[in-house]
Amino acid sequence: ASVNGSFTFAVALTDVRDSNNNQATVGAGQNLTGDKTTINTAQVEVKSATVAAPSTSRLYSSASQEVGRFAVTSRNEASRVQKVVFNATASSGTVQAFANSTSSIKLYNVDTNAEVSATATISGNTVTFDSMNDTIATDTTRNYKVVLDTTSVENYYSETVTLGSPTVTAVRDSNGS
């Protein structure tokens, strides 16, 4: 169950004793009120990348090329991204037709330019990154880029491919990073 809200803890002392088990008094009285505590559940927000992509939008034959960017922000707690799915559109054909293979797509952390460990698959126009374990720290935005390894694109001149908005599956990071 998720809990959101602000809470103030109150304690009432009914029996106070010293180390010799004698009745003792508390100078502040028997009622103590604690600090206000706010509890919020972890949230992730998927949005446009906050780091601009390269200006070229052309796909070349037999090359690794960036085809899209997005960002994920983790709020209130660290989150672990486990899965990302894109539904792309192509003016004719499919994303799979442009790719070297059904697994020739990669996801990178833009800040470090390191590939994110994931099982990548392309099926028609659906691109999936699964079995991920990418932790995003509390109140941090992580920018990702999608890189496609292409095959020959000679049959696809003047065609367009657009990655849709990703669906991201994330969970609270129990390690508290």
Side-chain angles (χ1 to χ4, degrees):
S2 66
V3 177
N4 282 318
S6 297
F7 303 91
T8 302
F9 298 95
V11 178
L13 302 174
T14 57
D15 187 20
V16 180
R17 302 208 175 248
D18 65 16
S19 61
N20 293 324
N21 203 26
N22 296 316
Q23 188 87 28
T25 58
V26 179
Q30 72 180 34
N31 293 319
L32 302 173
T33 302
D35 293 333
K36 182 177 181 181
T37 302
T38 302
I39 300 172
N40 291 310
T41 57
Q43 298 173 343
V44 292
E45 174 189 1
V46 180
K47 58 186 181 180
S48 298
T50 59
V51 177
S55 59
T56 184
S57 59
R58 292 189 174 151
L59 290 178
Y60 297 96
S61 291
S62 304
S64 291
Q65 297 164 93
E66 184 174 331
V67 293
R69 285 189 182 206
F70 66 99
V72 177
T73 299
S74 179
R75 300 204 190 286
N76 304 323
E77 279 191 80
S79 299
R80 276 185 299 115
V81 176
Q82 296 181 316
K83 185 176 185 177
V84 176
V85 179
F86 289 95
N87 288 310
T89 57
S91 56
S92 89
T94 64
V95 175
Q96 186 175 338
F98 290 94
N100 274 342
S101 71
T102 56
S103 61
S104 62
I105 196 154
K106 299 175 185 91
L107 189 64
Y108 285 86
N109 176 331
V110 171
D111 296 331
T112 63
N113 205 33
E115 185 176 350
V116 176
S117 177
T119 301
T121 56
I122 305 168
S123 177
N125 280 327
T126 302
V127 175
T128 304
F129 297 99
D130 205 353
S131 301
M132 297 173 61
N133 195 21
D134 195 39
T135 301
I136 303 173
T138 304
D139 298 325
T140 301
T141 298
R142 168 87 34 91
N143 286 282
Y144 294 97
K145 66 180 177 180
V146 180
V147 176
L148 176 66
D149 294 336
T150 59
T151 185
S152 174
V153 294
E154 288 182 23
N155 296 329
Y156 300 102
Y157 288 124
S158 301
E159 303 298 327
T160 59
V161 173
T162 306
L163 291 180
S165 296
T167 300
V168 176
T169 302
V171 296
R172 179 182 159 271
D173 180 44
S174 61
N175 296 326
S177 298

